[in-house]
Amino acid sequence: MKALVALILLVQLPIHKAVPAAPPAPLGCDDPESEAAAGVAVNYINGQSHHGYKFALNRIEDIRVVPQGPNNDIIFLELDLLETTCPILSPTPLANCTVRSFAEHAVEGDCDVKLQKVDGTFSVLASKCHSHADSSEDVLKVCPDCPLLASLNNTEVLETVSAALNDYNSKTTDSYLRLLEIGRAKIQYNPGHVVVTEFAVGATNCSAEEAKANVGDCQLLPEDQSNFGFCTAVMAKGPSQDLQVDCQMYGHQPGVTYAHPGQDTSAGLAPSAVGVTNHNLGLFHNNPVASESSSSEILRSALAAKSVAKRAVAEAAQHDKVPRPVGFVPLPPPCPGKIRHFDI
């Protein structure tokens, strides 16, 4: 009889069903994990770029996480970057590079990056970037007298670069230098006519003295001896033309290469460069160890992830029936994140 009573009582006990764990809150653009992923992405982008200047993070526009399994996530980032004053060949760490000010005619980079995080370690699978200079109108609104970026094949720009490098080569006792690329150029017309240029150079296998005999034999040093540098030149035009040149050589950097043979400036430069004002960050790159067979995969995956994220937000809004107390101030949206420098 006692056993029967115990059985009845046991049957009457309420059954507590296991409550599934709530999904993790979505990452915000300013969360430490988002910033860590962005740091890896920016370093990768600069490592894959071979022209122009290094770029620094300005803002995380969006982040989406697609779980793949335990301790394994695919992460999609949308990043806003800004050009720094450090040439891409410079050994200066990005943390020590200065972002160009708005008045210097800033250049912005927009990047979509796909990463994977496995056991806490990030790796980049693919990236797609492009960059553009701020509009002339925006610069002149803030600084009406600031010179604007000039086309890299502008005749005055080419003349200044040629004159500057020829002047440097005529005075140096070190290696004869060849032009690698023109980085930036600005022309000021008021209060004086001034041309300002920045350009990358490479040391050759000739001394400056040997180059006088046969400059055609002077080629960039081989990869295991390469020495790159960067020059700035200011040409003040007028009755008494004034030229100032400053070049800094970086010394040999193992693993740092330049794919082109460079140009000799002793006979001047032909306007063969494309008429652009800045080197496009134009980067469409797949990591060789990634599983994607096509760069378009990053776009398809990003669109799919964005669709899932939008659907989740819509569902959350539909089910959020909790009344808000008087004076309730909603938290700011998790994305986009903070602006680190300035908005373009």
Side-chain angles (χ1 to χ4, degrees):
M1 185 65 179
K2 289 181 179 181
L4 179 60
V5 171
L7 179 60
I8 293 172
L9 291 175
L10 180 62
V11 171
Q12 291 178 340
L13 288 175
I15 299 175
H16 297 284
K17 294 182 179 180
V19 178
L27 278 180
C29 281
D30 291 330
D31 289 350
E33 184 171 349
S34 303
E35 296 192 342
V40 172
V42 173
N43 285 336
Y44 178 85
I45 290 165
N46 284 322
Q48 296 300 320
S49 179
H50 302 292
H51 299 282
Y53 301 84
K54 297 180 182 181
F55 278 75
L57 179 65
N58 189 37
R59 188 184 212 185
I60 301 175
E61 283 286 343
D62 196 16
I63 181 168
R64 297 178 294 281
V65 180
V66 182
Q68 302 294 297
N71 300 317
N72 185 354
D73 294 321
I74 295 294
I75 300 173
F76 298 92
L77 285 174
E78 294 179 22
L79 304 177
D80 283 348
L81 313 180
L82 286 174
E83 184 185 82
T84 72
T85 58
C86 289
I88 201 68
L89 294 171
S90 169
T92 303
L94 181 61
N96 297 337
C97 294
T98 303
V99 168
R100 289 190 191 277
S101 69
F102 188 85
E104 290 180 280
H105 207 159
V107 175
E108 180 184 36
D110 299 310
C111 294
D112 293 323
V113 187
K114 180 180 181 181
L115 306 94
Q116 186 169 25
K117 182 185 178 186
V118 178
D119 295 329
T121 300
F122 295 101
S123 58
V124 174
L125 301 181
S127 58
K128 178 178 180 291
C129 297
H130 71 275
S131 61
H132 57 89
D134 190 17
S135 71
S136 301
E137 292 78 9
D138 286 348
V139 177
L140 294 177
K141 284 178 185 177
V142 177
C143 183
D145 297 325
C146 287
L148 301 173
L149 287 175
S151 295
L152 300 182
N153 65 348
N154 178 285
T155 301
E156 290 187 290
V157 170
L158 297 176
E159 289 175 350
T160 300
V161 171
S162 295
L165 194 48
N166 292 343
D167 181 74
Y168 181 88
N169 278 328
S170 69
K171 297 174 181 177
T172 185
T173 56
D174 296 322
S175 295
Y176 184 82
L177 302 182
R178 285 174 72 92
L179 174 69
L180 300 184
E181 67 179 24
I182 301 173
R184 282 170 63 104
K186 294 189 290 185
I187 301 177
Q188 174 182 302
Y189 296 100
N190 187 28
H193 190 173
V194 179
V195 182
V196 180
T197 62
E198 302 177 5
F199 50 97
V201 295
T204 69
N205 55 358
C206 297
S207 67
E209 190 63 31
E210 290 171 335
K212 293 177 182 178
N214 190 355
V215 71
D217 291 339
C218 301
Q219 304 300 320
L220 292 180
L221 291 171
E223 186 175 322
D224 60 346
Q225 302 173 37
S226 61
N227 183 10
F228 304 120
F230 201 73
C231 301
T232 57
V234 179
M235 172 81 80
K237 302 254 184 175
S240 56
Q241 188 165 281
D242 180 55
L243 176 64
Q244 298 178 20
V245 188
D246 179 57
C247 292
Q248 176 192 3
M249 302 305 293
Y250 300 137
H252 179 59
Q253 304 174 74
V256 177
T257 61
Y258 190 79
H260 305 289
Q263 301 179 67
D264 178 60
T265 60
S266 59
L269 288 171
S272 56
V274 178
V276 296
T277 58
N278 64 280
H279 288 282
N280 188 6
L281 185 57
L283 184 66
F284 204 56
H285 195 269
N286 264 359
N287 191 322
V289 301
S291 60
E292 283 74 9
S293 59
S294 170
S295 293
S296 61
E297 175 68 19
I298 185 176
L299 302 180
R300 291 196 298 269
S301 301
L303 288 173
K306 185 175 289 188
S307 176
V308 170
K310 285 183 177 179
R311 192 161 57 246
V313 170
E315 291 175 356
Q318 181 69 23
H319 292 90
D320 186 10
K321 304 298 184 182
V322 180
R324 302 303 186 191
V326 176
F328 172 78
V329 179
L331 293 173
C335 286
K338 64 188 176 186
I339 295 174
R340 290 160 173 76
H341 301 284
F342 51 84
D343 192 20
I344 292 185

